Amino acid sequence: MSKTGYLIIIILFISNLSHAQDVPAPAWGGGADQQDVSFGFTFSYIQSNFKIIKQPNWRAPFFDKLNNRYVTDSLNSIGSNNLPGFSIGFLTRYSLSDHLEVRVTPSIVFADRELNYVYATPSQDVTKQIQTTTVDFPLSFKLKSDRIANFRAYILGGVKYSEAIGKGNTMDETNDPLQKLVKNSKGFGSYEAGLGCDIYFEFFKLSPEIKLSNSIGNVLVQENNPFSSPISKLSLHTIMFSLIFE
């Protein structure tokens, strides 16, 4: 081989070596993926509202048997707006394989919900607040893609049990039917699904995640008052955006 050929080979080798040195090594991510079990914490922003199924005669004015009179006009609509909330929680992760893991993320959730009642007589329109603080116990399975540099995408799905803590809207001592509260079940289950990505830094792993959740069954406590009687079923719909540090 000529001197020119040797010179070309040497230049190509040095060029490749220099390029390899310029590519940064993958971040360690705090070693979370090197262990079968790891821990972390979560911060979440929440928006929730009710899906409402009404009774067949939901428009009918409410008749108060105690006072022997109608206390409301006929209903025009019942609705529920999205309201914000937040939660903080603790993460425990167990790796089943390189691409599958199971997670438990118990969290305390602070969120308000509301029901809006619009009557034929506008002066009777009312919004009923349902203030709740719950402890959530989600169990989910996380399916991960291959890691590309410091990034990995994933999807997840699972179930969740929620338990209300404190009195909230469970205490209702008034006899005035128009001051009655709309009560929710103290405990209920939900199913949830979402997606996110793992971003690896030198000493920790950050996972932005968005998740949808829908309650199972009826969360309404059925009572004979102007605000519960028109409703057959309430389901809780939640959108949650989380930042998970591991």
Side-chain angles (χ1 to χ4, degrees):
M1 183 180 292
S2 66
K3 292 183 180 179
T4 303
Y6 282 117
L7 182 60
I8 291 173
I9 292 174
I10 291 172
I11 291 173
L12 290 174
F13 175 78
I14 294 174
S15 176
N16 288 335
L17 181 62
S18 175
H19 177 71
Q21 290 174 343
D22 290 339
V23 177
W28 182 46
D33 286 1
Q34 278 70 52
Q35 307 172 55
D36 287 341
V37 179
S38 64
F39 305 96
F41 55 92
T42 70
F43 297 97
S44 301
Y45 170 79
I46 297 170
Q47 277 203 331
S48 58
N49 69 324
F50 287 115
K51 292 183 177 180
I52 305 166
I53 297 178
K54 307 179 185 74
Q55 299 282 7
N57 62 338
W58 66 275
R59 291 182 181 272
F62 183 80
F63 184 79
D64 181 19
K65 294 181 180 179
L66 183 63
N67 296 312
N68 198 32
R69 64 183 179 91
Y70 287 100
V71 294
T72 69
D73 203 342
S74 58
L75 269 166
N76 285 342
S77 69
I78 307 174
S80 178
N81 296 326
N82 279 314
L83 289 183
F86 71 95
S87 75
I88 53 176
F90 181 76
L91 166 72
T92 302
R93 178 195 68 87
Y94 179 74
S95 179
L96 300 174
S97 70
D98 289 341
H99 295 91
L100 182 64
E101 66 186 40
V102 61
R103 302 191 321 185
V104 179
T105 51
S107 306
I108 184 167
V109 180
F110 304 91
D112 290 342
R113 304 151 197 162
E114 68 179 22
L115 290 167
N116 304 310
Y117 298 81
V118 178
Y119 291 91
T121 303
S123 61
Q124 294 184 356
D125 293 354
V126 66
T127 296
K128 286 293 180 179
Q129 293 278 347
I130 303 173
Q131 299 174 343
T132 55
T133 302
T134 60
V135 178
D136 286 358
F137 299 94
L139 173 66
S140 57
F141 290 89
K142 174 180 173 181
L143 183 62
K144 305 178 289 185
S145 70
D146 291 332
R147 177 173 171 177
I148 302 174
N150 293 321
F151 179 87
R152 188 200 297 264
Y154 66 83
I155 59 174
L156 77 161
V159 294
K160 175 177 69 177
Y161 179 76
S162 303
E163 181 74 18
I165 58 177
K167 295 180 179 180
N169 278 50
T170 61
M171 301 300 292
D172 192 3
E173 298 177 353
T174 181
N175 290 322
D176 184 353
L178 297 179
Q179 299 302 318
K180 290 291 185 179
L181 304 175
V182 179
K183 300 177 185 177
N184 282 182
S185 301
K186 191 171 178 62
F188 58 91
S190 305
Y191 61 90
E192 51 187 14
L195 53 87
C197 61
D198 295 329
I199 304 172
Y200 293 83
F201 296 90
E202 185 59 31
F203 298 108
F204 67 95
K205 182 173 69 174
L206 172 64
S207 302
E209 177 183 292
I210 187 166
K211 190 164 54 177
L212 303 178
S213 174
N214 286 290
S215 63
I216 301 170
N218 191 1
V219 302
L220 175 68
V221 176
Q222 295 285 359
E223 292 186 327
N224 186 34
N225 64 54
F227 310 110
S228 298
S229 295
I231 300 173
S232 174
K233 180 182 178 181
L234 284 181
S235 298
L236 183 63
H237 175 69
T238 303
I239 300 174
M240 178 181 295
F241 176 76
S242 303
L243 292 176
I244 303 171
F245 296 86
E246 188 178 344

